[in-house]
Amino acid sequence: MYLSLPLINSAIELGGPSICCHPRLLNLIQDELLRNLMQFGLSMNPLILSMVCSIILNLYHHLRTELKLQLEAFFFLCNFETSTKQISRYGASYQQQEVAMEALVDFCRQKTFMVDMYANFDCDITCSIVFEDLANLLSISAFPVNCPLSSTHILALDGLIAVIQGMAERIGNGSLSSEHSPVNLEGFTAGLDKNLVGDFLGNHDEFCVPVLHEFSGTFDFHDMNLDTALCLFLETFRLPGESQKIQSVLEAFSQRYYAESPHILANKDAALVLSYSIIMHNTDQHNVQVKKKMTEEDFIRNNRRINGGNDLPREFLSELYHSICKNEICTTPQQGVGFPEMTPSCWIDLMHKSKKTAPFIVSDYKAYLNHDMFAIMSGPTMAAIFVVFDHAEDEELYQTCMDGFLAVAKISACHHLEDVLDDLVLSLCKFTTLLNPSSVEEPVLAFGDDVKARMATVTVFTIANRYGDYIRTADESQLSVETGHGKPIANSLSSAQMPPIGTPRRSSGLMGRFSQLLSLDTEEPRSQPTEQQLAAHQRTLQTIQKCHINSIFTESKFLQAESLLQLARALIWAADRPQKGNGTPDDEDTAVFCLELLTAITLNNRDRIVLLWHGVYEHISNIVQSTVMPCVLVDKAVFGLLKICQRLLLADELLRSLQIVLKLDARVADAYSEQITLEVSHLLKANAAHIRSQLGWRTITSLLSNIARHLEAYETGFEALLFIMSNGTHLMPANYVLCVDAARQFAESPVGQAERSVQAIDLMAGCVNCLAQWTTEAKEAMEQEQVSRLYQDIGEMWLRLVQGLRKVCLDQREEVRNHALLSLQRCLTGANGIHLLHGLWSQCFDLVIFTVLDDLLEIEHSHSQKDYRNMGGTLILAMKLFSKVFVQLLQDLSQLTAFCKLWLGVLSRMEKYMKVKVRGKRSENLQELVPELLKNILLVMKTKVILVQRSALGGDSLWELTWLHVNNIAPSLQGEVFPEQDSDHLQHKQGESLAGSFDA
């Protein structure tokens, strides 16, 4: 025996699946070998027991599909529970018990073993319960009852964890779909209520129909007679009573049969009709209540022309008729029981049943059965692992338990078993020692010296990081870890530096105690720490780093919507608590920490920003509006908001929220202006192309305009504006006026250098090119109605541009205002490519040109030379600009109905500039320049036939009013510009004198 068993084991191991190719050898194994192995399996000899188990393991591995009932018998009669009881009954040695447990653990380490046991035996009502018995045996064997841990306890624990980890591996990295899919049902209908099965398969809903076809597809009807195939099919359930359900079932059967064994059948319809006929004949023949039986001729006559319009062979139908007469189609299940004792007759019965039993289901690696299997063993398994963990003193065994806990957590989360996961987390928290009130003076050192507590803590937070969406009762407690009774320091979560050793404040609760470990702050100075204390602190810090507490919040994107919203609300609630009472520095730290976590959650849930934003915005707004001095909290609020907008620029509401920054107290705004500008600049460079609405750009330009007043932020703000406006890169109708106004703010800002103001003016002047470009593009791409609207909008934008430049023309700095005047001229004369309505020119002269001339005169009269240097030069430049623009636009202006009024406005301004006093006396330069410019204008008007005497008898108001004003400026100009008018006038006078002499 000692030689034969190893040889048999080697032969099976080497032969493997190829044994199935040799029927006689396979039959020998199925019958003689296994019958004898069962006898040897009850042996008290550890070596024999070990060899028998090794052979059974190899048989399972290679031939389990051929040994279903034999394996069931082995596990029922010779399984390890029975063996253990017999070993104990006969006073067997501990070594024999250990051999039996080792063998069971070897089976459990096979990835599919427990799934096979559950699918083939526990799920088959005709078979024994194998999986549940083995799982209970492992759980019970792992409990150290009134004794220290032994190798048997540890082996049983290894077996349990192997089973649990196998389930977790089948789940994979994802979670199970909530949608149900039909699976192979063959073998699962045995022992079930056949009426219910038939009724289910006959249903017409969207799930039952594919299940029916999957079910019929599991049958192999190859080369099988129709009556035999139908009998095999109907043995698995009872046909429903409704005709529609019967038809559905038989259609599925006929389709499968015709695909497998068409033989002489023309199509699946022939199979369907003949199946109906067979069932009717079966009922007629074997129902005692039917007195007059169907004859062979009746059966043949009933099945004429059903084979595609032709008759089936008479011999074929006759054979079917007599087969049904001899063999009734029976749907009554044969109920099975266990194997009370394997007597020779029982073994013969087992071999007979093995030929008829449902085939062995080879389980795959999918997790369809995990839920039910886990429900059976989760409670005993968790209890066993916790008991071993409690009694263990070895770090390696601690880790084994932790692996088991993580596998349990993964399965619980996958199947949404929140209660199981809550129980696991709460039970683990008890081992962290953080739930217990401080019973030692040095909790940090005690935690650093407690390996079990540190490992339990890391496991708790690992579960929270991975499966936090399914934790319910522990949510508030875990939040308190971050915000609780100690001083939370977020940087310590990732810091590699060792904090100073001190005496943390006492606090109760998991969160408060863990906060102490995070803070490690010093309240009272201490003596130099010992090497042991330093080592304990180092271990504590390493534990904190392994917890990855920040990940609980940064990975919140995987939380369900309701869980995410509750987490955000909890953080806001925790941060607001100090405001309701007497705040302390620690309270502010808590509020800051909560705000940072809230920001992290928002950043990691960009696709659900609408869900979170209302609460986040309101919280940040409360902080900003209630703060009057710079502090860490408002710093985090402002820059957290800017960071959110920078990364999640998806909606106008986000950008509109930046207006909070404009509401900052002046002292706070001054303190953070430079950093705010940097963030706004980053936001623009990253997202300018995505900001399309006027509302969004209004917020951005308002911030930039506000920045222009701060010296520290001016340069960065101007660079951001340059990024938007340079070459019109990001200019669009939605932001044109806003950007022009922001550029004006930078040009006028007293904190910027004149050079920057000049650049800002150039940005404004360069914008006119965009208007010309948009005009051209509109002509090519739009319909007439849209083009007209756009022309009107472009005209308004142009008017706002020149109005902005007009304001800069009044700047105190000579270089800036003179450059603004030149830029204004360029924008006025460079409008040729822009379609401007005639009415705009009247507005332009009234609101821009005449206004700037009047305002410059007012400045000269009311301000000192110290405030505005060299205003005389500016007045000369303004007059030149004014004259050049008027001359260049004269042809278009002359078409205006209000041209006369406009022309008189020009003359009145020139008349004023002739009389202006610079430094108390009239300017010689202006008195020389104005007549010259006026003469040039008059000559152009004469050339273009705009200023001509249309009637010698009077009534020509333009002509008369012109010379009325011109004579006040330079009386000689009329003769110089219109010498022929003077000659005619002289001849007219001479004629009048001569006529008078004749009359005399």
Side-chain angles (χ1 to χ4, degrees), residues 306-325:
I306 65 171
N307 195 29
N310 299 317
D311 289 339
L312 288 165
R314 184 181 182 89
E315 296 79 9
F316 174 74
L317 294 175
S318 179
E319 183 180 349
L320 278 179
Y321 175 81
H322 292 290
S323 176
I324 297 299
C325 291

Side-chain angles (χ1 to χ4, degrees), residues 16 18 44 54 309 350 366 385 398 447 596 602 642 845 909:
S18 62
M44 296 297 102
S54 180
L350 182 146
K366 296 179 181 177
I385 299 176
Y398 292 161
F447 183 80
E596 288 185 321
T602 307
L642 287 166
F845 269 83
R909 266 73 182 183

Side-chain angles (χ1 to χ4, degrees), residues 656-670:
R656 186 169 62 240
S657 66
L658 288 178
Q659 294 179 1
I660 295 176
V661 179
L662 301 175
K663 300 177 182 179
L664 284 170
D665 184 271
R667 289 165 291 186
V668 179
D670 289 340

Side-chain angles (χ1 to χ4, degrees), residues 479-533:
L479 178 59
S480 300
V481 170
E482 320 303 335
T483 64
H485 305 283
K487 176 184 178 183
I489 301 178
N491 293 336
S492 69
L493 298 177
S494 57
S495 174
Q497 300 179 353
M498 179 178 297
I501 296 178
T503 305
R505 290 177 296 277
R506 296 284 191 91
S507 57
S508 60
L510 174 61
M511 300 307 291
R513 303 276 287 127
F514 201 86
S515 285
Q516 292 179 354
L517 303 182
L518 293 180
S519 59
L520 304 181
D521 57 326
T522 303
E523 291 188 346
E524 297 178 4
R526 284 200 43 179
S527 59
Q528 185 68 21
T530 64
E531 291 185 4
Q532 182 181 1
Q533 291 173 328

Side-chain angles (χ1 to χ4, degrees), residues 72-141:
E72 178 194 6
F74 178 82
F75 286 116
F76 188 84
L77 292 173
C78 306
N79 66 24
F80 305 98
E81 181 178 10
T82 305
S83 297
T84 304
K85 291 178 180 178
Q86 290 186 357
I87 288 170
S88 302
R89 184 190 310 164
Y90 296 107
S93 66
Y94 173 78
Q95 183 182 6
Q96 292 170 317
Q97 299 178 34
E98 192 173 14
V99 167
M101 187 56 64
E102 283 180 353
L104 176 56
V105 173
D106 287 339
F107 273 96
C108 292
R109 287 177 179 144
Q110 306 300 312
K111 298 297 182 183
T112 61
F113 173 71
M114 281 298 202
V115 187
D116 285 341
M117 296 301 102
Y118 182 73
N120 287 282
F121 303 121
D122 292 53
C123 292
D124 189 340
I125 200 170
T126 65
C127 297
S128 307
I129 298 176
V130 176
F131 164 77
E132 187 172 353
D133 286 346
L134 294 179
N136 288 335
L137 173 62
L138 288 170
S139 300
I140 294 171
S141 301

Side-chain angles (χ1 to χ4, degrees), residues 733 770-795 797 833-835:
C770 291
L771 298 178
Q773 178 184 346
W774 296 341
T775 301
T776 303
E777 292 173 354
K779 292 178 182 178
E780 299 174 354
M782 293 184 179
E783 297 179 359
Q784 185 59 40
E785 184 178 350
Q786 294 176 316
V787 170
S788 299
R789 282 200 301 268
L790 183 61
Y791 283 170
Q792 184 177 355
D793 294 340
I794 288 176
M797 286 186 269
I834 306 173
H835 184 86

Side-chain angles (χ1 to χ4, degrees), residues 128-337:
S128 307
I129 298 176
V130 176
F131 164 77
E132 187 172 353
D133 286 346
L134 294 179
N136 288 335
L137 173 62
L138 288 170
S139 300
I140 294 171
S141 301
F143 271 83
V145 181
N146 299 324
C147 63
L149 283 176
S150 65
S151 58
T152 304
H153 298 132
I154 297 173
L155 276 172
L157 178 70
D158 288 341
L160 278 175
I161 292 178
V163 175
I164 292 294
Q165 288 180 327
M167 292 184 188
E169 289 176 9
R170 285 193 293 277
I171 292 172
N173 294 325
S175 61
L176 288 179
S177 172
S178 59
E179 296 183 2
H180 300 286
S181 301
V183 297
N184 188 341
L185 295 178
E186 185 178 0
F188 285 99
T189 62
L192 300 180
D193 189 320
K194 293 197 172 186
N195 291 317
L196 294 179
V197 173
D199 190 62
F200 174 83
L201 293 175
N203 279 336
H204 289 80
D205 63 44
E206 60 183 9
F207 180 69
C208 295
V209 171
V211 170
L212 172 60
H213 286 282
E214 284 286 333
F215 176 69
S216 60
T218 62
F219 288 88
D220 182 8
F221 297 140
H222 187 68
D223 292 332
M224 190 177 292
N225 292 333
L226 180 61
D227 60 325
T228 306
L230 186 59
C231 181
L232 178 64
F233 185 67
L234 295 180
E235 278 183 350
T236 57
F237 63 94
R238 189 181 300 277
L239 273 176
E242 298 179 23
S243 59
Q244 290 183 343
K245 293 185 177 182
I246 294 175
Q247 182 175 353
S248 297
V249 171
L250 291 183
E251 281 179 352
F253 164 77
S254 302
Q255 182 177 352
R256 177 65 177 174
Y257 179 80
Y258 180 75
E260 293 280 307
S261 299
H263 294 303
I264 60 176
L265 297 176
N267 49 47
K268 63 180 181 180
D269 291 336
L272 175 62
V273 175
L274 194 54
S275 298
Y276 265 112
S277 186
I278 289 174
I279 291 174
M280 292 175 63
H281 175 43
N282 180 76
T283 303
D284 178 85
Q285 187 67 35
H286 299 286
N287 191 332
V288 294
Q289 295 181 356
V290 178
K291 302 301 181 181
K292 185 178 180 180
K293 305 296 183 182
M294 183 184 299
T295 64
E296 180 178 347
E297 289 300 324
D298 293 335
F299 182 76
I300 294 173
R301 183 169 56 252
N302 291 340
N303 292 288
R304 285 179 180 175
R305 299 187 180 183
I306 65 171
N307 195 29
N310 299 317
D311 289 339
L312 288 165
R314 184 181 182 89
E315 296 79 9
F316 174 74
L317 294 175
S318 179
E319 183 180 349
L320 278 179
Y321 175 81
H322 292 290
S323 176
I324 297 299
C325 291
K326 293 178 182 178
N327 303 298
E328 179 185 0
I329 298 178
C330 182
T331 59
T332 303
Q334 296 181 2
Q335 300 297 333
V337 294

